[in-house]
Amino acid sequence: MGILKDEITRRSVIAGAGGLVVSFSLSRAFAQAPAPPAPPTTPPAPPASLPGSLDDDRFLDSWIRINPDNSITVFTGKAELGQGIRTALLQVAAEELEVNPTEIEFITADTGRTPNEGFTAGSQSMQNSGTAIRNAAAQVRALLLAEAAKRFGIAPTELRAENKSVLAKDGRSATYGELVSGQTLHVEAQPQSAFKQPGSFRVMGKPLPRVDIPAKVTGQPAYVHDLRLDGMLHARVVRPPSPAAELTEFDQSAADGMPGVVSVVRDGNFLAVVAEKEFQAVNAMRTLAEAARWQERETLPDQTDLPAELQRLEREVGTVAEAGVISSSGKVFEATYTRPYQIHGSIGPSCAVAQMKADGTLDV
Amino acid sequence: MSISLTVNGSPHQIDADPSTPLLYVLRDDLALNGAKYGCGLGQCGSCTVVVDGEAVLSCMVPVMLLEGREITTIEGLGTIDDPGPLQQAFIELQAAQCGYCIPGMMMSAHALLRRNAQPSDEDIREALATNLCRCGTHMRILAAIRRAGELMKAASLPESDERRAG
């Protein structure tokens, strides 16, 4: 959740980007890559598949921006949920950009600013976002080296990237910010990247304390529940007593006169109450719950025999692995393994904050 | 109705219905993020704060019972720039996953450490029995609380974990 006050906006980045446009060919920047992309064929083939989430957001500056003041911003469409990806993805970016993790402003899942990477679920964040960021960072580093090589009139191999600068063996250097201008990073990524070799890693694979923990143990804002907007109202949903229950009648007047109640909202079987203060909403929700009548019906499978029900629902049957031949002379052991049908519930309840702006747009 | 509360050493005048549970006053009126709304029914422990040295479920206690009493939340244990021993220990041992239950855990631990700076694992488990967590840091939480006890003992100031604001 991007709720830090001093985060830059997309507009300020665009407004602040310098007017100087340096053009150079991408193929030159990647001339040193181990496997250069194939030359375009005619008729033009569909765009090459790019690694990880780069395939959906193909421009390098969707993922990494380097500003004229030499500050670096890295973006991910994945959300930090306590799984530590904010820290892990930061490590990936820092490694390939050859900078310290503290030098990067890291923006997570923000609909207006970051790539849209869909859900943060299924252990996909490192695989998809991590792959995109690693490739983008390696390609940005290659572009910076190529630009410095051009300016210094020497081969990129005579240069190294270190601590937000490109250094030449003869002592000349330029900061990343000096090497990047408006459009330098607004280029499509290439399918292949010249990655750092694992033996030279300084950040990846090394322990780095989670960057989100200090705020969480000192009461700093860290969750969507911690957002407080001017004039913010609080709502509570009146939950049905069972799945698929139908709301047949409710007495709105029961809540109307209660302190702080602003409105009661009904949309089909959805019933909620809005109040000025949170506990007023809780009280009104309890009152409304007593005044609501629901028609319940059986929709759940037999709870006493869930394993059988789950087997009836079975959709995918496969072989995990197969090797060798079962000997007819040996003993054969057979076993069936099952596990309970469970879903993990988090202690933090679902929460959303919405703000209707004067221009009619709704920020959620 | 106006109610006087002392939170982390600072006096506050609150305009709230006296039956409002402390949690909502801390979060909505005083803008303190530490105490968390988990279940709102006194079942999960994420709203735990310390009142006069005892761990209390703030979602259950009406503010009218708290006038003249010392309320401590996690914000009273230190700041992000100057963390207290418990906070330092939880950061050092990375004792949080999503972290939502952790302030409640830490306040239960704070109440425990005030009366026993060298608790056994059994003591810690007992003191935190009312704090639920669904994820995987339980062993680190135990270690962090033992570590906080050590840090407090090293400072020879068991009460130093509580900061006075203002």
Side-chain angles (χ1 to χ4, degrees):
Chain A
M1 298 295 133
I3 56 172
L4 300 178
K5 280 190 209 104
D6 54 356
E7 283 176 355
I8 53 166
T9 64
R10 188 185 290 265
R11 183 167 299 153
S12 76
V13 169
I14 292 168
L20 176 67
V21 177
V22 177
S23 62
F24 59 90
S25 124
L26 253 184
S27 56
R28 181 180 156 184
F30 288 95
Q32 58 195 319
T41 54
T42 41
S49 172
L50 295 178
S53 300
L54 268 178
D55 207 31
D56 299 317
D57 281 274
R58 304 172 69 89
F59 283 91
L60 292 180
D61 65 352
S62 296
W63 301 90
I64 295 167
R65 301 221 184 108
I66 295 174
N67 309 301
D69 65 359
N70 208 22
S71 62
I72 300 174
T73 311
V74 177
F75 302 86
T76 176
K78 298 294 184 182
E80 171 64 59
L81 303 169
Q83 76 284 50
I85 57 153
R86 188 186 182 90
T87 310
L89 294 172
L90 179 65
Q91 286 177 280
V92 171
E95 186 68 64
E96 291 292 348
L97 286 172
E98 293 284 18
V99 301
N100 289 323
T102 51
E103 298 282 2
I104 294 175
E105 183 192 28
F106 197 81
I107 311 295
T108 55
D110 180 330
T111 44
R113 304 166 66 193
T114 62
N116 179 3
E117 292 191 84
F119 294 118
T120 302
S123 297
Q124 303 282 302
S125 294
M126 291 310 293
Q127 185 173 321
N128 294 334
S129 202
T131 298
I133 288 172
R134 188 170 181 216
N135 278 274
Q139 295 186 22
V140 164
R141 173 166 45 80
L143 286 173
L144 292 166
L145 287 168
E147 173 62 17
K150 196 176 97 175
R151 287 196 196 179
F152 297 159
I154 54 180
T157 48
E158 298 293 299
L159 295 163
R160 67 194 157 89
E162 187 181 299
N163 200 23
K164 298 207 292 180
S165 287
V166 175
L167 312 171
K169 283 177 182 163
D170 61 18
R172 284 181 292 174
S173 72
T175 67
Y176 286 2
E178 288 165 352
L179 292 168
V180 167
S181 65
Q183 298 300 308
T184 311
L185 302 183
H186 189 63
V187 292
E188 281 208 35
Q190 300 291 311
Q192 303 278 343
S193 306
F195 291 131
K196 286 182 67 179
Q197 292 305 304
S200 66
F201 285 172
R202 300 165 301 106
V203 188
M204 268 165 65
K206 310 273 195 294
L208 182 70
R210 283 249 310 272
V211 293
D212 55 319
I213 287 183
K216 288 175 174 176
V217 301
T218 53
Q220 295 290 307
Y223 305 89
V224 66
H225 315 68
D226 301 332
L227 287 169
R228 292 179 192 85
L229 307 179
D230 281 344
M232 185 168 79
L233 299 172
H234 294 266
R236 278 292 191 279
V237 177
V238 180
R239 303 281 179 193
S242 60
E246 231 173 278
L247 181 59
T248 52
E249 63 177 288
F250 77 102
D251 179 10
Q252 175 159 347
S253 64
D256 271 344
M258 293 183 70
V261 169
V262 174
S263 71
V264 174
V265 179
R266 183 194 179 171
D267 182 358
N269 295 317
F270 175 88
L271 183 60
V273 60
V274 184
E276 284 165 11
K277 297 182 104 177
E278 187 176 1
F279 192 61
Q280 292 170 337
V282 171
N283 274 334
M285 176 266 286
R286 288 173 181 162
T287 299
L288 267 182
E290 282 177 18
R293 296 288 165 266
W294 302 85
Q295 168 106 44
E296 295 185 69
R297 55 196 167 92
E298 282 296 331
T299 53
L300 294 177
D302 180 3
Q303 300 295 291
T304 59
D305 195 17
L306 272 184
E309 179 65 25
L310 287 171
Q311 281 181 331
R312 272 196 291 279
L313 294 173
E314 206 167 18
R315 286 287 183 278
E316 193 182 320
V317 180
T319 304
V320 176
E322 215 168 37
V325 184
I326 297 173
S327 151
S328 54
S329 59
K331 269 188 177 173
V332 175
F333 294 92
E334 279 187 72
T336 302
Y337 297 91
T338 62
R339 67 177 182 84
Y341 181 61
Q342 292 173 328
I343 187 156
H344 51 91
S346 45
I347 293 282
S350 296
C351 175
V353 178
Q355 182 180 34
M356 180 64 86
K357 294 189 168 167
D359 66 1
T361 58
L362 184 70
D363 274 359
V364 180
Chain B
M1 187 182 147
S2 186
I3 294 161
S4 328
L5 289 183
T6 305
V7 180
N8 301 325
S10 300
H12 296 275
Q13 285 296 317
I14 309 297
D15 182 25
D17 184 307
S19 68
T20 307
L22 173 63
L23 173 67
Y24 303 95
V25 170
L26 292 174
R27 293 193 60 85
D28 301 337
D29 294 291
L30 300 180
L32 294 170
N33 301 311
K36 299 287 191 278
Y37 177 97
C39 64
L41 301 167
Q43 294 173 353
C44 77
S46 62
C47 67
T48 306
V49 300
V50 167
V51 176
D52 291 345
E54 293 294 325
V56 162
L57 297 168
S58 68
C59 78
M60 299 302 286
V61 188
V63 278
M64 64 185 168
L65 301 180
L66 297 171
E67 281 198 294
R69 307 182 66 177
E70 293 280 344
I71 300 162
T72 306
T73 70
I74 200 154
E75 286 89 347
L77 302 188
T79 63
I80 195 161
D81 297 319
D82 184 19
L86 247 182
Q87 293 165 327
Q88 219 178 306
F90 270 70
I91 295 169
E92 192 182 308
L93 288 153
Q94 298 280 287
Q97 208 176 93
C98 93
Y100 200 85
C101 68
I102 293 295
M105 298 253 184
M106 291 171 71
M107 295 318 290
S108 293
H110 174 61
L112 169 68
L113 291 170
R114 276 173 59 105
R115 50 177 198 272
N116 176 7
Q118 284 177 286
S120 64
D121 277 0
E122 195 126 311
D123 297 330
I124 299 172
R125 285 171 194 272
E126 197 186 314
L128 271 65
T130 49
N131 294 89
L132 303 185
C133 167
R134 59 148 259 213
C135 57
T137 48
H138 295 80
M139 301 312 287
R140 291 188 186 197
I141 292 166
L142 287 174
I145 295 170
R146 287 195 304 267
R147 174 78 181 130
E150 286 167 18
L151 290 172
M152 287 156 71
K153 193 170 166 239
S156 313
L157 290 167
E159 69 281 10
S160 70
D161 200 33
E162 201 159 313
R163 307 286 173 86
R164 290 284 171 246

